[in-house]
Amino acid sequence: MKILFAGCGDIAQRVPPKMNSAHEFFGLKRQSTLLANGINPLVGDLTDVACLNHIFTEGFDVVVATLTPDRMTKEGYQKAYVNSSAALALAIYNAVYKPKLVIWVSSTSVYGQNLGAWVDEDSPASSTAFSGQALRQAEENILALPCATVVVRFSGIYGPGRTRMLDQVLAGVGCADQPEQWGNRIHSEDCAGVIGHLISQNEQQIPLLELYVATDCEPVTQYELRGWLAEKLSVSLVEHQASARSARRCSNKKLLDSGYNFIFPSYREGYSALIKELTL
């Protein structure tokens, strides 16, 4: 198959090793750059329909969109998600050879629940934040396409180059145990694994859902996670006021039901591997 990564950052470049090496991979970015794992670089702007029309003459079997905003502002999210999804959808409509599958990477921040409730694919995406609303609009643009589409909502991604929590704990930043502040995480290797899994399922003509929540198997409170990391790292923590963000628990049951096996089922395995890498 020919697989296009529309937006080809860290997660996308981790996907090829998770898949059949016979596939041909392409990575679309705004600037020319060397891409890892045999991905052929393409240069273009995902908000430019004329540019995308030309790129889609290549004839891709699968398109995977993994985008990030340049700025964490309303305008940045509008451009990265709403405008890009609309342009991508139009280019796919225009393409003579349409992809068999489009995977759009979204985020669990579309959920507005903030009192520790469990959420899954059937929960309302009720975020009132500009970021959540932009992500939800982009999802709708992709799900309206005349081909198989899957939206994957990743929770908080950590891994190599994504060590904010580790850095804070190493700096001694703790938090109070109350009120409970729930968080959900997924290692970057599992993000790539999920994408590869869904492509492989589609290739085998195994039916996919339109939406998957992709998070590891164990939501954890900030207090418990920071305490566990502090013990692993042999540091002392000073209590800081807890953040009110990410106060929900995300279920990955439907992803597990699809047959995906996690590389790092919980924060324990994932952060243990990350700490080992950092200390080598």
Side-chain angles (χ1 to χ4, degrees), residues 3-4 6 56 60-65 88 92 99 101-104:
I3 300 173
L4 172 67
F56 272 85
F60 300 106
D61 300 290
V62 176
V63 176
V64 181
L88 182 62
I92 291 172
L101 174 67
V102 177
I103 297 176
W104 181 267

Side-chain angles (χ1 to χ4, degrees), residues 117-266:
W118 282 93
V119 297
D120 61 16
E121 291 81 356
D122 299 319
S123 302
S126 57
S127 173
T128 57
F130 68 79
S131 54
Q133 291 183 341
L135 286 162
R136 187 71 189 101
Q137 180 60 58
E139 292 179 358
E140 292 176 355
N141 289 344
I142 296 302
L143 290 172
L145 282 167
C147 61
T149 55
V150 176
V151 167
V152 183
R153 291 174 180 165
F154 285 127
S155 62
I157 302 172
Y158 71 101
R162 302 170 188 264
T163 59
R164 180 172 176 268
M165 178 64 70
L166 275 180
D167 295 340
Q168 288 185 356
V169 171
L170 283 168
V173 179
C175 70
D177 62 340
Q178 296 294 328
E180 289 183 330
Q181 298 297 316
W182 287 98
N184 308 271
R185 285 168 180 78
I186 183 169
H187 194 284
S188 54
E189 280 293 295
D190 274 307
C191 292
V194 167
I195 291 170
H197 166 73
L198 295 174
I199 295 172
S200 297
Q201 295 286 94
N202 181 261
E203 185 182 11
Q204 298 170 55
Q205 299 185 332
I206 297 172
L208 297 173
L209 302 178
E210 284 191 339
L211 172 63
Y212 289 96
V213 172
T215 187
D216 72 20
C217 303
E218 190 174 343
V220 62
T221 63
Q222 285 269 346
Y223 179 78
E224 183 178 353
L225 175 59
R226 288 174 187 265
W228 183 87
L229 285 171
E231 184 176 351
K232 292 282 288 186
L233 296 165
S234 300
V235 299
S236 299
L237 299 179
V238 177
E239 184 177 306
H240 287 65
Q241 185 174 359
S243 166
R245 295 180 60 191
S246 301
R248 67 190 69 91
R249 287 173 278 183
C250 298
S251 169
N252 66 6
K253 183 178 184 302
K254 291 186 178 179
L255 181 60
L256 293 176
D257 289 346
S258 77
Y260 183 67
N261 294 310
F262 275 83
I263 303 165
F264 302 109
S266 79

Side-chain angles (χ1 to χ4, degrees), residues 25-128:
F25 300 96
F26 297 82
L28 176 61
K29 300 191 75 171
R30 285 188 294 271
Q31 296 178 341
S32 179
T33 183
L34 185 64
L35 301 177
N37 296 317
I39 300 174
N40 300 298
L42 299 173
V43 178
D45 186 339
L46 271 164
T47 63
D48 185 338
V49 177
C51 172
L52 293 176
N53 285 341
H54 174 71
I55 286 169
F56 272 85
T57 61
E58 181 72 37
F60 300 106
D61 300 290
V62 176
V63 176
V64 181
T66 58
L67 309 181
T68 53
D70 290 335
R71 295 171 295 161
M72 300 300 174
T73 62
K74 184 174 182 179
E75 294 74 19
Y77 272 76
Q78 173 74 26
K79 180 180 179 181
Y81 297 111
V82 181
N83 296 357
S84 292
S85 63
L88 182 62
L90 185 53
I92 291 172
Y93 275 113
N94 293 340
V96 174
Y97 184 89
K98 292 179 171 52
K100 300 178 180 68
L101 174 67
V102 177
I103 297 176
W104 181 267
V105 170
S106 187
S107 165
T108 55
S109 64
V110 298
Y111 296 112
Q113 293 84 342
N114 60 5
L115 297 176
W118 282 93
V119 297
D120 61 16
E121 291 81 356
D122 299 319
S123 302
S126 57
S127 173
T128 57

